[in-house]
Structure formats: structure tokens, C-alpha cells
Amino acid sequence: MSKVVQFFRESGAELKKVVWPSRDDVVSSVLVVVISTFIVAVILGLLDWGFTEAFRAIMR
């Protein structure tokens, strides 16, 4: 048996041992990522706007 065939057989055996998350777990994890990304984007946007306005005020 070649090493390539052995690799794929062993890989298949390992994948059968994996405990895959349920659909509900995946959906809730995706929601957490999307919401936290939105929150961070809003915070960074506000900081950018604030610093831009501060520098404009200083440069006048």
C-alpha cells in the first residue's frame, strides 16, 4: 500500500471521529461573530470620526 493511499485512509478514519457541531451551534456562533464585528466596526468608525474632527479643529 502506498503512503498516499494510507494517508487518505487514515485521514478518513480521523474525520469519522470528529464531533461536528449542530446547526443551532453554528448559527449562534455566526451570529456572535457578525454582531461583535458590527460593534467593533461602529466603535472604530466613531473613533475615526472623532480623531478626524479633533485634528480638523487643531489645524484651523
Side-chain angles (χ1 to χ4, degrees):
M1 176 167 41
S2 74
K3 290 189 177 215
V4 174
V5 173
Q6 180 182 358
F7 170 78
F8 282 109
R9 283 190 180 159
E10 290 176 1
S11 297
E14 289 298 320
L15 283 174
K16 289 179 184 176
K17 296 177 187 177
V18 173
V19 178
W20 298 101
S22 69
R23 182 180 178 90
D24 290 339
D25 290 341
V26 173
V27 169
S28 64
S29 295
V30 168
L31 281 175
V32 167
V33 170
V34 169
I35 291 169
S36 60
T37 301
F38 179 76
I39 291 170
V40 169
V42 168
I43 290 170
L44 289 176
L46 289 172
L47 285 171
D48 181 50
W49 175 79
F51 283 123
T52 300
E53 292 300 317
F55 282 116
R56 281 186 186 159
I58 292 170
M59 299 306 269
R60 287 185 190 170

